[in-house]
Amino acid sequence: MPEHTTASRLQLSGLCFLLQILTIILFAVFVRYSPESSPGPCSQQLNCSWRNQDSGFQHPRFRDVHLQALLGFGLLVAFLGRYGPGSVAISILVVAFAIQWAVLIQGFSYFFLNGKIYVGAQSMVRADFCTAAILISTGAVLGRVNPVQMLLLTLLGVTLFTLNEYILLSLMGVSDSGGSLTVHTFGAYFGLMVSRILHQPHMDKRKEQQDTGHQPDVFAVVGTVYLWIFWPSFTSATTVHDNAEPWAVLNTYFSLVASTLASFVLLPVLYEESTLRMVQIQDATLAGLAVMGMAGEMLVTPFGALIVGFLAGLIPPLGFRFLMPVLCSRLKIQDTCGVHNVHGLPGILGALLGMLLTALATADAYGGRLELVFPLVAQGSRTATDQALCQLCALPVTLLLATLGGSLTG
């Protein structure tokens, strides 16, 4: 990134000061701790199966989700040799502001009671989900915007993310516990539209921004390890626990291993390099995780999770080789971190998988879990087909809000 002038440094300092003062004032007026004796207020319409989780279960999940958002995503953007350290610093800046802003914006939607926002582990997990979506968005424009622009992107992105999440989860009753739509798809296409508006023909392509040195691959190794360790908790952080088997954790792991293996199938065929780059393994890993966001808590079955994960793992190598040049040359979209191949397309695949599994859901197959995964179906308010149609309609709604919001933000 070019060196900042004195004016731009002062702009960053002033904007950070104003935003922090604003959030402090809003926190002072509205935000209170959730009563310890209750799991926290929750919208009656929101499909928040996490409302019955106790604090002992939530705090480890919050820790894992927060580590994933901060370290996992932060280290994943460090592969850019020219921007590596600065990318990590900007990621931390985005996280620091996005969490505060998300607590406020989401609080008014989900945790607002008697004129106050009651915060606890649940609200912080939701804020981290929102932060993850914004970090995905920043991956599309990384290296081409300054920190001031990143803060403005975060300000609008958090607001639009919450609007999309509220429409899907509260108004439409969609089940998307791991965020195939709300996190991965929205984050990817929101960032891509911002990138399209900011298109500059002279900017280098992604492969030219990468450093072939040792340090970026070290960052990628550590970031990928964090994905393997903490992402199953991310996918299952908002799902039920009770005495049910953690389907979301198991399905995510199965998808993860299959997608990683898929990268070793395609990469030696598509590229002439003698050794695989860790960044490529990292991309396939993320794709396998993104595809299981919606379907994770559904009855995918172990072999089904392996199949879907393997298919998702094929998307990044093929996308980087064949689709990214088309996006850049024809659509003028410069995707710095390849979020379209890693988050966007796998997120859409995950949404379609979730729709199919919803249509096949029966009380015999799910037992008591049906009420936890599809409460409206269990209550008789909807049939499984109706719920599947809602899951399907959620995809164009997300794409519309992401593209329009990204264009406005750009």
Side-chain angles (χ1 to χ4, degrees), residues 364-392:
D364 292 337
Y366 280 78
R369 190 188 291 264
L370 184 67
E371 185 177 0
L372 304 173
V373 181
F374 304 113
L376 296 177
V377 175
Q379 296 166 9
S381 302
R382 289 178 181 171
T383 64
T385 303
D386 293 336
Q387 182 67 34
L389 289 175
C390 288
Q391 303 281 131
L392 180 61

Side-chain angles (χ1 to χ4, degrees), residues 118-193:
Y118 290 94
V119 298
Q122 298 168 359
S123 54
M124 294 305 295
V125 167
R126 302 309 309 182
D128 274 323
F129 268 62
C130 178
T131 301
I134 304 305
L135 289 172
I136 291 171
S137 300
T138 61
V141 296
L142 205 60
R144 296 186 287 117
V145 298
N146 59 45
V148 172
Q149 293 171 315
M150 280 294 192
L151 283 175
L152 295 177
L153 183 151
T154 304
L155 183 73
L156 292 173
V158 168
T159 306
L160 291 165
F161 170 91
T162 304
L163 174 62
N164 179 64
E165 186 183 53
Y166 182 79
I167 292 174
L168 265 58
L169 303 187
S170 296
L171 302 184
M172 298 178 64
V174 171
S175 176
D176 188 24
S177 62
S180 280
L181 281 178
T182 55
V183 176
H184 296 282
T185 304
F186 177 86
Y189 289 99
F190 177 78
L192 288 172
M193 288 309 300

Side-chain angles (χ1 to χ4, degrees), residues 9-263:
R9 291 200 302 270
L10 292 177
Q11 285 179 354
L12 176 61
S13 176
L15 182 60
C16 288
F17 177 78
L18 290 176
L19 290 176
Q20 188 61 73
I21 294 299
L22 173 63
T23 54
I24 288 174
I25 293 173
L26 291 174
F27 266 62
V29 174
F30 294 107
V31 179
R32 300 292 183 271
Y33 290 123
S34 179
E36 293 181 357
S37 59
S38 68
C42 179
S43 169
Q44 294 297 318
Q45 294 178 314
L46 181 63
N47 179 23
C48 49
S49 54
W50 35 269
R51 63 180 177 270
N52 292 324
Q53 296 176 342
D54 57 40
S55 58
F57 180 78
Q58 270 287 1
H59 288 301
R61 288 289 174 88
F62 163 66
R63 176 200 61 206
D64 291 351
V65 171
H66 190 62
L67 281 171
Q68 177 58 49
L70 184 63
L71 292 176
F73 281 103
L75 292 172
L76 291 179
V77 298
F79 73 89
L80 296 171
R82 286 162 51 188
Y83 311 125
S87 300
V88 178
I90 289 179
S91 294
I92 294 175
L93 172 66
V94 169
V95 169
F97 175 63
I99 287 178
Q100 298 180 66
W101 193 240
V103 167
L104 288 168
I105 301 299
Q106 292 181 317
F108 287 117
S109 300
Y110 307 137
F111 304 100
F112 196 65
L113 184 66
N114 298 326
K116 301 297 179 184
I117 298 172
Y118 290 94
V119 298
Q122 298 168 359
S123 54
M124 294 305 295
V125 167
R126 302 309 309 182
D128 274 323
F129 268 62
C130 178
T131 301
I134 304 305
L135 289 172
I136 291 171
S137 300
T138 61
V141 296
L142 205 60
R144 296 186 287 117
V145 298
N146 59 45
V148 172
Q149 293 171 315
M150 280 294 192
L151 283 175
L152 295 177
L153 183 151
T154 304
L155 183 73
L156 292 173
V158 168
T159 306
L160 291 165
F161 170 91
T162 304
L163 174 62
N164 179 64
E165 186 183 53
Y166 182 79
I167 292 174
L168 265 58
L169 303 187
S170 296
L171 302 184
M172 298 178 64
V174 171
S175 176
D176 188 24
S177 62
S180 280
L181 281 178
T182 55
V183 176
H184 296 282
T185 304
F186 177 86
Y189 289 99
F190 177 78
L192 288 172
M193 288 309 300
V194 174
S195 178
R196 175 62 184 88
I197 300 300
L198 299 179
H199 172 69
Q200 295 176 311
H202 65 277
M203 292 300 295
D204 296 330
K205 294 182 181 180
R206 177 183 189 264
K207 64 180 180 181
E208 295 168 341
Q209 293 170 330
Q210 294 185 23
D211 193 328
T212 57
H214 179 64
Q215 186 177 6
D217 269 350
V218 171
F219 281 124
V221 168
V222 178
T224 304
V225 169
Y226 270 105
L227 290 177
W228 278 75
I229 296 174
F230 294 115
W231 200 285
S233 290
F234 186 95
T235 305
S236 61
T238 62
T239 60
V240 297
H241 69 109
D242 294 332
N243 296 319
E245 285 293 329
W247 284 359
V249 174
L250 298 174
N251 289 330
T252 300
Y253 265 120
F254 289 135
S255 177
L256 177 64
V257 296
S259 64
T260 302
L261 199 62
S263 65

